[in-house]
Amino acid sequence: MMEGLLRHCTDMEVEKNYVDSHGQSEVAFAFCHLLGYKLMPRLKAIHTQKLYRPEPGMTDAYANLQHVLTRPINWELIRQQYDQMVSAALVLPHVGVSTTIIPATTNSLNDLPKQLYSHGSAVINTLQQIAGAAGTALAITLMTIGQHRFTVEHSKASPETLVAAGTQFTFGAIVIVAVIGLLLALFVRRATNHSH
């Protein structure tokens, strides 16, 4: 469900995701909320479902759902696990990145003489570690800047809103860097392959 939602290969801006019973779960609801989507499941045999109450003491609310409502949502547990959930939600859209690294590594090593393959591989691995650390530091810095800029205009913003604002600013900056890298890649010329 998440794969189709994140990579639907169209220009649509998805706001709501309608799924059948098998497409919904507590985890699905959590990730859709964190990623800015509304999960709208069609629950089969709703009389067999167990739903949580938003707050304790709401015994008379939602009269038509009384027979499937159970205990209240444990908001404290969500607060305790919030950072981990946000981290996982940020990773989800980038799961496919690893599939591009291996072909890129192979293509870069093909331009080296065979006796230098081991050295080239070592250089690539070192640069990947350095770039990963530098990229993480850059992303955190950009996120902090984005949160600070948002706080100047919205002094009473909630922590969740600040995280979202910082994340949006970070991804916007990273997209600009990626576009620049793509344009520079167009000027790279493939070297003659060395057979020995």
Side-chain angles (χ1 to χ4, degrees), residues 67-82:
H67 60 288
V68 295
L69 291 174
T70 58
R71 63 177 176 79
I73 296 173
N74 188 346
W75 293 108
E76 180 58 31
L77 179 62
I78 293 175
R79 277 189 287 269
Q80 293 173 2
Q81 304 296 326
Y82 186 76

Side-chain angles (χ1 to χ4, degrees), residues 103-112 117 185-194:
T105 302
T106 302
N107 287 334
S108 60
L109 290 177
N110 284 341
D111 288 331
L112 292 175
Y117 280 179
L186 297 176
F187 296 96
V188 175
R189 293 292 178 262
R190 186 175 180 85
T192 305
N193 192 17
H194 300 276

Side-chain angles (χ1 to χ4, degrees), residues 78-121:
I78 293 175
R79 277 189 287 269
Q80 293 173 2
Q81 304 296 326
Y82 186 76
D83 290 343
Q84 290 86 344
M85 291 190 295
V86 170
S87 298
L90 291 175
V91 168
L92 270 179
H94 306 284
V95 172
V97 172
S98 59
T99 60
T100 65
I101 293 178
I102 294 176
T105 302
T106 302
N107 287 334
S108 60
L109 290 177
N110 284 341
D111 288 331
L112 292 175
K114 290 184 178 180
Q115 65 270 23
L116 296 179
Y117 280 179
S118 60
H119 300 287
S121 179

Side-chain angles (χ1 to χ4, degrees), residues 116-132:
L116 296 179
Y117 280 179
S118 60
H119 300 287
S121 179
V123 170
I124 289 174
N125 289 333
T126 302
L127 291 176
Q128 284 177 345
Q129 297 301 319
I130 294 174

Side-chain angles (χ1 to χ4, degrees), residues 113-194:
K114 290 184 178 180
Q115 65 270 23
L116 296 179
Y117 280 179
S118 60
H119 300 287
S121 179
V123 170
I124 289 174
N125 289 333
T126 302
L127 291 176
Q128 284 177 345
Q129 297 301 319
I130 294 174
T136 301
L138 176 61
I140 293 174
T141 301
L142 290 172
M143 190 170 186
T144 303
I145 293 173
Q147 289 178 344
H148 177 72
R149 292 180 58 180
F150 191 83
T151 304
V152 172
E153 300 176 2
H154 307 83
S155 58
K156 297 182 179 180
S158 65
E160 293 82 4
T161 304
L162 289 176
V163 170
T167 302
Q168 289 176 350
F169 181 81
T170 302
F171 278 105
I174 290 175
V175 166
I176 294 174
V177 173
V179 170
I180 293 173
L182 178 61
L183 293 176
L184 292 176
L186 297 176
F187 296 96
V188 175
R189 293 292 178 262
R190 186 175 180 85
T192 305
N193 192 17
H194 300 276

Side-chain angles (χ1 to χ4, degrees), residues 1-2 17 19-21 23-43 49 51 85:
M1 184 272 291
M2 296 303 300
N17 188 31
V19 297
D20 292 324
S21 296
Q24 61 85 27
S25 66
E26 293 177 350
V27 175
F29 272 108
F31 280 125
C32 282
H33 178 72
L34 290 171
L35 292 170
Y37 304 110
K38 293 181 179 179
L39 184 61
M40 312 288 285
R42 295 179 288 269
L43 298 176
Q49 302 291 329
L51 305 178
M85 291 190 295

